[in-house]
Structures are given as C-alpha cells and as structure tokens.
Amino acid sequence: MSGRKNGSPRPVPGHVQAGIRVDFFIVGAPKAGTTWLYRNIGRSPDLFVAANKEPRYFSVEDGAEVAFVGPGDDSWMGHFVRSRADYEALFDGAGEGRLRGEASSDYLYTSAVAAPRIRRECPAARIIVMLRDPVHRAYSNWLHHRRDGREPLPFGAALDAEEERIGAGWAWWWHYRERGWYSRQLEPFLEHFPADQILLLRHDDLRRDPQGLLRRVGDFLEVDVLADGDLLRGRNESVLVRSPFHRTVRRVARPNAVARALLPRPVRATLRRRVDRGTLHKPTIPPEDYRRLRRFYAADIERLAGMVDLDLSEWG
C-alpha cells in the first residue's frame, strides 16, 4: 500500500479535515486506466463519486486565469470547475455514511499546485495514482486526439511540435511527452502526504488482474468495491477508424430508437463488438518514435524506481 519508501505515518485518528470534505482522489495519470477505475469503484454503495470526472478544481490556484487555445480546448474546458460552491455541489446527496471522492487525471501533471491545495483543504484524503509506461501513455494520448479528429499531425511530428504548442498555450492534454515525467510530478504528493495516504498502481496490473487491482483499492479505502460482481469495461481505449468507408459503416450501423426498443441490450452489445472489430484498429508506435521516447524517459524511470515501491522493470 505504501506510496513511497520509508514514509511517515498517517495523521492521528480523529484528525478533522479542513475546508472541503473529499475523502479520496484519483489524480492520474491520464490514459492509465483512471476512467475504468472511476467507473468501477463508483458502483460501491460505500462510496460517492462525483459525477463530473475531471473537475480539475485543485489544478489551479483560486482566482487564477485559465485560457487554452488548442483545437477543441474550449469544449475540454467544459468540465473545469472553478468556484468553490460549484465544486462542493458535486457532492450534494452524498450523505454522511459514504466516502466522497473524485477523479481528475490532471492533478498529477499539475501537482505543484494541486498537491498542496488538496493537502490544505483535505488533509486526511487518500490519493490514488495510476501510472502507465510513459511511452505507451504518450502514444495513447495522441491516439485519443487523432480518434476525435483534433490531431492533424503524425505522432512524431506532434512530439516535435509539443514545445511550441505548450508555449502557445495549448491545454495540458496536448502535452504528450511532458506528462510522462512521473518522478517530478509525484514529488509534491510524496512531500505533502504521508506514505500510507498514497496508493500507487500500475496500468500493467489493470491489464493482468483487474479484480486484484480493485481489491487493493478497496483495502486502501477500507470498503468493498467488488460488491456488484462483474466489472465494467470502460477503459477508454484510444483506437482509430480504419478508413472513411468504415466510418460510414459505423454511422449506418449505429442503433436507432427502433433497434433499441426491439433488440435486447446483450444483442446490441454483440452487434456493436462485431462492428468495432471490422471497422476499428489500434496502430502501433512507429519504431523510431518508440526508440526516441525510450531514451527520453530512461533517466526519469530510473529515478522513479528509486522513489517508490513499484516494479518498473517492464518499462524499458
């Protein structure tokens, strides 16, 4: 369960939280399984998870101006909760008997601001971090934008354009390469929170043993998060449509109101999977970009391995 090696103990029992009451946060990284985790633990009757995934309230200081100029960044900002009243309203209806939590995968990237802010407002909160091999995380991030029609550049060219985009004010979500510097991003959380208030998870474990990963989260939060049996999929995987023709096939095959009324949900799900298999594909990272990012992240992965109790030997 430990977040860092040789960490300090949890604050004494009965510590009263200051400010906003939020009991746990899923803080990132994006494209590492946070949506899957958010959806699955949200079914536990012992937890109340804010309906707005990615409110990002703690990512900037109170009153700070936020303006991003990348393609589609205005719609991306739609989830951004800026006022304290609006943020507290996310937990209306939680009651007193359930733990309250939210998921904002930008908190890890904005940890220099987010970690101390969360600590001030929610000092007893538990922090859940999901990490993915940074090379594959960056590529999945690019695929996500490519899938949505917002990224015009090939992956390598987008990496080359990243510094210029950041300087121009494109949103954090476009920072494909920079978001993989995990050791630097984790430091503020490790500095501001005791080790036993931080749970570090690997995307590799989600792929291999999702139920085991959920049990670890349940143990960490001291609740049963597997009460509803079958797991939801919802891994938010980034894939591409094979061609304009296949895009048309998907549009035609989309069930209308009549189909939804006549066909049982399992039948519709089976048909959707078959259409997906025929029209979607997940390309692989170009070898030259893979090698470039491996070199880029090598020192940071080594540093991270010395900071935390995680086996990162597969990230190489």
Side-chain angles (χ1 to χ4, degrees), residues 217-230:
V217 174
D219 290 344
F220 179 62
L221 298 179
E222 301 178 67
V223 300
D224 183 3
V225 297
L226 290 169
D228 286 345
D230 292 341

Side-chain angles (χ1 to χ4, degrees), residues 16 25 31 34 44 48 51 81 124 133 143 164 209-210 224 242 300:
V16 178
F25 295 85
K31 311 308 297 181
T34 59
S44 170
F48 182 92
V81 177
D133 181 327
L143 274 177
E164 181 179 351
D209 183 12
D224 183 3
R242 294 183 185 277
D300 189 72

Side-chain angles (χ1 to χ4, degrees), residues 98-111:
R98 291 188 286 177
L99 295 180
R100 306 178 185 194
E102 63 115 318
S104 293
S105 60
D106 287 319
Y107 288 157
L108 183 62
Y109 189 55
T110 61
S111 58

Side-chain angles (χ1 to χ4, degrees), residues 16-294:
V16 178
Q17 291 184 331
I20 303 168
R21 183 196 153 189
V22 185
D23 300 296
F24 67 93
F25 295 85
I26 301 172
V27 303
K31 311 308 297 181
T34 59
T35 297
W36 177 89
L37 179 60
Y38 162 83
R39 292 187 65 207
N40 276 284
I41 69 173
R43 297 190 299 165
S44 170
D46 297 316
L47 303 178
F48 182 92
V49 181
N52 179 357
K53 184 178 186 288
E54 314 290 348
R56 306 181 177 95
Y57 174 71
F58 291 103
S59 284
V60 295
E61 296 288 1
D62 286 333
E65 293 294 327
V66 180
F68 296 121
V69 301
D73 283 354
D74 52 346
S75 62
W76 180 87
M77 289 286 291
H79 291 275
F80 214 127
V81 177
R82 296 308 316 278
S83 79
R84 184 187 185 97
D86 288 344
Y87 185 74
E88 291 180 320
L90 296 178
F91 303 96
D92 287 350
E96 293 300 319
R98 291 188 286 177
L99 295 180
R100 306 178 185 194
E102 63 115 318
S104 293
S105 60
D106 287 319
Y107 288 157
L108 183 62
Y109 189 55
T110 61
S111 58
V113 173
R117 284 201 69 203
I118 293 173
R119 179 65 175 176
R120 287 196 302 268
E121 295 284 353
C122 313
R126 305 185 195 192
I127 308 298
I128 301 171
V129 186
M130 293 193 69
L131 299 178
R132 181 179 185 178
D133 181 327
V135 174
H136 294 289
R137 195 226 65 81
Y139 189 64
S140 182
N141 195 159
W142 172 85
L143 274 177
H144 186 119
H145 277 146
R146 191 77 162 182
R147 177 197 71 190
D148 292 349
R150 288 196 285 165
E151 177 56 84
L153 298 179
F155 184 52
L159 294 177
D160 293 338
E162 184 168 319
E163 185 175 349
E164 181 179 351
R165 288 174 168 182
I166 292 173
W170 289 33
W172 307 315
W173 192 235
W174 297 92
H175 303 186
Y176 305 138
R177 184 173 55 194
E178 286 297 306
R179 297 191 76 141
W181 290 93
Y182 298 143
S183 70
R184 182 173 65 196
Q185 294 164 29
L186 271 173
E187 276 185 322
F189 281 106
L190 299 178
E191 175 185 350
H192 288 90
F193 286 88
D196 64 348
Q197 284 179 231
I198 300 175
L199 176 65
L200 297 177
L201 303 168
R202 302 182 314 160
H203 182 265
D204 312 77
D205 298 323
L206 166 58
R207 289 188 295 107
R208 294 192 183 105
D209 183 12
Q211 287 196 333
L213 184 141
L214 277 181
R215 278 192 291 271
R216 291 180 61 196
V217 174
D219 290 344
F220 179 62
L221 298 179
E222 301 178 67
V223 300
D224 183 3
V225 297
L226 290 169
D228 286 345
D230 292 341
L231 304 183
L232 298 174
R233 293 178 66 195
R235 295 193 186 181
N236 197 24
E237 292 183 329
S238 298
V239 292
L240 301 181
V241 180
R242 294 183 185 277
S243 69
F245 168 76
H246 290 99
R247 192 179 302 277
T248 301
V249 170
R250 293 180 61 78
R251 186 166 57 249
V252 172
R254 186 178 300 128
N256 56 26
V258 174
R260 287 193 292 270
L262 295 178
L263 298 177
R265 184 187 296 268
V267 174
R268 299 201 309 271
T270 299
L271 291 174
R272 184 173 61 249
R273 285 195 294 271
R274 289 179 178 176
V275 171
D276 287 350
R277 282 198 296 269
T279 61
L280 299 177
H281 74 120
K282 188 170 185 176
T284 57
I285 307 174
E288 62 275 15
D289 297 324
Y290 180 86
R291 290 191 293 269
R292 173 163 54 145
L293 287 179
R294 276 280 165 249

